[in-house]
Amino acid sequence: MIMFQHDTLILDASCVISLYATQRMGEILAALPPQVTVATYVAEREALYIRGAAPEPDAPRPKLPIQLAPFIQQGLLRLVQPEGEKEAALITYLASQIRGQGEVVTGAIGICRQWGLVVDDRRARNLLGDTAPQIQLLHTLDLVRYWVGQVQLPQGETTAVLTAIRTGAAFMPHPQDPNWAWWHEQ
């Protein structure tokens, strides 16, 4: 089971989308010991929707808007923005190295504030890990797997949650993700 090294986590857009796609995001956030945050930029510009089920086999899948307000109102999620010159300088540096603006903002905030980062993109993970090796880098599936273990979710429900991530967020873990085997065993 994962050991959290920081009292606060900051999620990138892929993580928000995947957690929302589970339709159990509130339960997952409530089970996590650290405070969970997301950059306002990510919430307003990148983590906008998940894919719904197609009404017919060959029909396009509808976009379903992500609604984070209930989680914020319940105190399960907090929105944060970059602050100060140190974070601005790190945003500039990271933006010169990777394309994903959400990962840039998330990384800069997390690194400067000494928060754990939840990022799935391998290139961003490599850069953030090289930039701040003292910061814990987590995968989305680390959070899901932690929750599954905490609540002792039955196998069938775990499979349904992972299927919802795959279909609603179009997410599949990379073979280098430490949870890859677990994903395929469910």
Side-chain angles (χ1 to χ4, degrees):
M1 175 142 331
I2 189 85
M3 299 297 296
F4 295 100
Q5 299 173 7
H6 304 282
D7 62 358
T8 303
L9 299 175
I10 186 165
L11 314 177
D12 80 342
S14 172
C15 182
V16 172
I17 293 166
S18 292
L19 292 179
Y20 194 83
T22 67
Q23 299 181 18
R24 310 221 17 208
M25 186 173 184
E27 295 172 54
I28 295 168
L29 295 176
L32 300 174
Q35 167 70 50
V36 182
T37 65
V38 65
T40 302
Y41 178 90
V42 168
E44 293 177 353
R45 295 192 177 180
E46 292 191 351
L48 302 178
Y49 63 87
I50 61 170
R51 291 287 184 179
E56 299 174 7
D58 292 329
R61 294 171 53 205
K63 293 180 179 180
L64 305 174
I66 291 176
Q67 304 289 331
L68 296 179
F71 309 118
I72 294 166
Q73 292 166 354
Q74 294 171 37
L76 298 172
L77 186 66
R78 190 167 49 106
L79 293 179
V80 295
Q81 295 188 45
E83 297 174 355
E85 292 178 22
K86 186 176 177 184
E87 290 180 13
L90 188 53
I91 286 172
T92 301
Y93 167 72
L94 294 174
S96 73
Q97 304 295 314
I98 53 178
R99 288 186 304 143
Q101 186 64 22
E103 291 150 346
V104 165
V105 173
T106 297
I109 292 171
I111 289 169
C112 289
R113 299 181 194 184
Q114 300 291 300
W115 293 349
L117 301 171
V118 187
V119 176
D120 291 311
D121 180 81
R122 287 182 309 146
R123 186 163 185 214
R125 287 179 63 81
N126 289 338
L127 175 63
L128 296 170
D130 290 345
T131 303
Q134 76 282 8
I135 299 295
Q136 185 178 28
L137 273 170
L138 299 167
H139 295 267
T140 299
L141 290 180
D142 290 325
L143 306 185
V144 175
R145 191 171 180 182
Y146 179 86
W147 166 69
V148 165
Q150 286 297 111
V151 302
Q152 299 181 350
L153 199 66
Q155 175 83 27
E157 287 185 55
T158 301
T159 301
V161 165
L162 298 181
T163 299
I165 291 171
R166 186 176 63 248
T167 58
F171 176 84
M172 288 283 293
H174 188 275
Q176 292 178 346
D177 184 319
N179 299 293
W180 187 82
W182 174 77
W183 170 279
H184 289 284
E185 291 167 1
Q186 302 307 312

